[in-house]
């Protein structure tokens, strides 16, 4: 890493230390359903059309919002309704409207399958603040990953629809795999022509349904190709592209994102799962829940039971024990660890350790 990167890493480390002390809640994810109208090959949640876990009644989630509003400015907190597929909830617009009436921002992550202009009008009336959509390739690659013959066309209609919502913040997510990696330039052009200005590329982790198909995972060489594509696209400047908040990237830090990596789980991000469990981030599939809204105060858990998220010294074990990057990486993202705290997935820093840019 060069001198500028080292300086920025130190600044980020100082910033994270302050976050640990202050932990201002900024993003609250509500897993409002585990039902989904699709069966994507790469689903980390392994969601089903009919889930064994029933949708949480919105009345059960309301006390969480009231607690948060009593302790911080709700205008500074984004409540993200996620799933499953949130749009399968018939009361979602009522939920969104009630979230906005309490002063919070309201966001949505959707596969876009049923999002048309009519639904976009309802979202606008309910006060939607942000939407994330998925475009996982050109038609063939997207439909393959989404396990659907109609998903690509539906997503492109959804992109047209969201652009009719005034003041909306929205972006497109692409889950990069071996099939769509060679077509990233075509995907980029497709998105630009469709009016997309903000784009995020994710890699797929072996969890949920994706754990059964290793072909979804990128090799080390393919991962470097992806990051180099992101660097080149950011320099080109035709679309704002970034890599996901997936892990510490060594020499690529500061080049593929607008910030330097730190795991935000439990520092500024919390989540309420469909069964009421209180956790740091919904990307964490192992059980790091610290309470449950049906028996605990959400705010008490956030304030007093999240030490595991805020002091990462316990992560100095295994491959991390003597790693020279631990000062900045701090054990990487929580979602990479199993229930015992051991790294169960690839460390990006080790993948990229010998790369020179």
């Amino acid at each position: 890493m060069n001198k500028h990167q080292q300086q920025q890493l130190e600044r980020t480390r100082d910033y994270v230390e302050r976050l640990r002390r202050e932990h201002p809640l900024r993003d609250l994810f509500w897993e409002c359903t585990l039902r989904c109208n699709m069966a994507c090959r790469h689903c980390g949640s392994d969601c089903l059309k009919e889930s064994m876990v029933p949708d949480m009644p919105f009345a059960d989630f309301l006390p969480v919002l009231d607690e948060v509003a009593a302790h911080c400015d709700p205008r500074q907190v984004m409540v993200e309704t996620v799933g499953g597929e949130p749009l399968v909830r018939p009361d979602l617009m009522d939920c969104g409207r009630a979230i906005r009436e309490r002063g919070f921002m309201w966001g949505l992550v959707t596969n876009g399958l049923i999002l048309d202009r009519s639904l976009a009008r309802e979202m606008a009336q309910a006060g939607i603040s942000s939407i994330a959509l998925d475009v996982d390739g050109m038609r063939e690659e997207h439909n393959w990953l989404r396990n659907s013959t109609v998903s690509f066309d539906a997503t492109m209609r959804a992109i047209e629809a969201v652009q009719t919502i005034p003041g909306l913040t929205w972006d497109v997510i692409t889950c990069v795999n071996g099939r769509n990696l060679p077509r990233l330039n075509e995907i980029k052009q497709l998105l630009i022509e469709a009016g997309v200005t903000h784009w995020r590329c994710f890699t797929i982790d072996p969890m949920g349904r994706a754990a059964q198909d290793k072909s979804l995972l990128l090799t080390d060489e393919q991962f470097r190709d992806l990051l180099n594509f992101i660097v080149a696209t950011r320099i080109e400047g035709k679309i704002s592209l970034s890599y996901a908040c997936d892990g510490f990237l060594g020499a690529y830090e500061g080049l593929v994102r607008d910030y330097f990596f730190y795991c935000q789980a439990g520092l500024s991000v919390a989540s309420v799962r469909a069964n009421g469990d209180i956790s740091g981030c919904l990307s964490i599939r192992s059980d790091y829940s610290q309470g449950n809204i049906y028996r605990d105060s959400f705010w008490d858990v956030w304030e007093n039971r999240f030490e595991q998220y805020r002091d990462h010294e316990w992560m100095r074990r295994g491959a991390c024990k003597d790693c020279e990057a631990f000062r900045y990486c701090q054990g990487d993202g929580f979602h990479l660890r199993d229930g015992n705290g051991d790294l169960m997935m690839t460390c990006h820093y080790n993948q990229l350790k010998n790369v020179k840019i």
Side-chain angles (χ1 to χ4, degrees):
M1 285 184 239
N2 59 40
K3 183 177 179 181
H4 172 72
Q5 287 172 307
Q6 290 285 355
Q7 291 172 339
Q8 290 298 321
L9 285 170
E10 287 294 333
R11 291 191 185 100
T12 299
R13 188 173 184 275
D14 291 342
Y15 174 67
V16 172
E17 288 299 319
R18 188 168 74 250
L19 279 182
R20 285 176 179 156
R21 295 191 301 271
E22 300 174 0
H23 46 268
L25 183 62
R26 292 290 177 260
D27 290 282
L28 175 58
F29 287 85
W30 177 37
E31 193 175 53
C32 64
T33 183
L34 282 178
R35 292 181 296 127
C36 190
N37 52 8
M38 298 185 70
C40 303
R41 297 175 188 272
H42 64 306
C43 179
S45 303
D46 202 10
C47 297
L48 303 170
K49 186 174 182 180
E50 296 299 331
S51 172
M52 298 293 290
V53 180
D55 294 355
M56 180 185 291
F58 185 61
D60 294 358
F61 183 64
L62 271 177
V64 174
L65 296 180
D66 292 339
E67 279 193 72
V68 174
H71 291 92
C72 58
D73 184 352
R75 295 171 299 178
Q76 301 298 315
V77 181
M78 175 71 75
V79 178
E80 300 273 7
T81 47
V82 297
E85 171 50 50
L87 290 176
V88 302
R89 280 188 70 118
D91 65 342
L92 186 67
M93 297 305 127
D94 293 334
C95 297
R97 191 172 295 108
I99 290 168
R100 289 291 287 162
E101 286 172 352
R102 284 160 175 77
F104 296 92
M105 296 177 285
W106 169 43
L108 173 71
V109 180
T110 175
N111 61 34
L113 187 63
I114 60 174
L115 204 174
D116 56 16
R117 288 184 177 237
S118 174
L119 194 51
R121 283 194 294 273
E122 291 185 48
M123 289 181 181
Q125 292 166 1
I128 190 76
S129 303
S130 75
I131 293 177
L133 292 159
D134 299 287
V135 175
D136 292 316
M138 304 302 285
R139 179 177 280 102
E140 180 184 352
E141 293 80 21
H142 176 98
N143 284 345
W144 172 81
L145 189 65
R146 293 283 161 179
N147 209 14
S148 164
T149 59
V150 300
S151 177
F152 179 83
D153 291 335
T155 298
M156 298 312 292
R157 286 195 297 270
I159 287 175
E160 292 180 2
V162 299
Q163 292 179 74
T164 66
I165 301 176
L168 181 72
T169 297
W170 65 282
D171 69 353
V172 161
I173 294 169
T174 297
C175 291
V176 181
N177 57 80
R179 288 201 180 204
N180 61 20
L181 178 67
R183 305 195 71 177
L184 284 177
N185 273 307
E186 294 175 75
I187 299 168
K188 176 179 69 175
Q189 192 57 38
L190 171 78
L191 297 180
I192 291 172
E193 291 175 359
V196 177
T197 58
H198 289 79
W199 183 23
R200 283 180 288 163
C201 281
F202 282 63
T203 43
I204 298 171
D205 293 318
M207 59 178 67
R209 201 172 294 142
Q212 310 305 315
D213 188 353
K214 288 188 168 41
S215 72
L216 295 172
L217 313 181
L218 296 182
T219 66
D220 290 358
E221 182 179 0
Q222 288 173 326
F223 184 51
R224 291 192 296 270
D225 288 344
L226 167 61
L227 295 182
N228 288 333
F229 170 80
I230 294 174
V231 171
T233 299
R234 288 168 66 88
I235 292 171
E236 183 183 54
K238 293 182 179 178
I239 187 171
S240 175
L241 173 60
S242 65
Y243 180 62
C245 56
D246 197 43
F248 183 72
L249 301 175
Y252 284 95
E253 285 296 321
L255 301 179
V256 296
R257 291 182 285 231
D258 294 335
Y259 59 93
F260 281 62
F261 171 78
Y262 65 95
C263 183
Q264 300 171 50
L267 300 183
S268 59
V269 175
S271 62
V272 175
R273 296 189 180 278
N275 65 355
D277 282 350
I278 302 168
S279 186
C281 173
L282 286 176
S283 293
I284 304 170
R285 304 317 303 178
S286 297
D287 187 8
Y288 285 95
S289 299
Q290 304 300 305
N292 187 287
I293 65 168
Y294 291 108
R295 63 174 183 268
D296 302 303
S297 156
F298 172 86
W299 195 256
D300 177 64
V301 172
W302 172 255
E303 283 291 296
N304 302 307
R305 300 197 205 172
F306 266 35
E307 193 57 33
Q308 193 174 29
Y309 290 105
R310 293 167 189 159
D311 183 356
H312 288 202
E313 281 302 310
W314 64 269
M315 290 185 176
R316 283 188 186 269
R317 55 197 294 182
C320 297
K321 184 176 181 181
D322 300 311
C323 180
E324 69 275 9
F326 190 89
R327 177 178 177 82
Y328 306 119
C329 170
Q330 291 289 295
D332 227 317
F334 258 83
H335 72 289
L336 301 177
R337 295 183 177 266
D338 63 19
N340 296 320
D342 298 320
L343 276 173
M344 61 178 172
M345 284 178 255
T346 301
C347 165
H348 291 330
Y349 176 69
N350 282 325
Q351 281 183 287
L352 303 167
K353 188 180 289 188
N354 297 319
V355 173
K356 291 189 172 140
I357 304 173

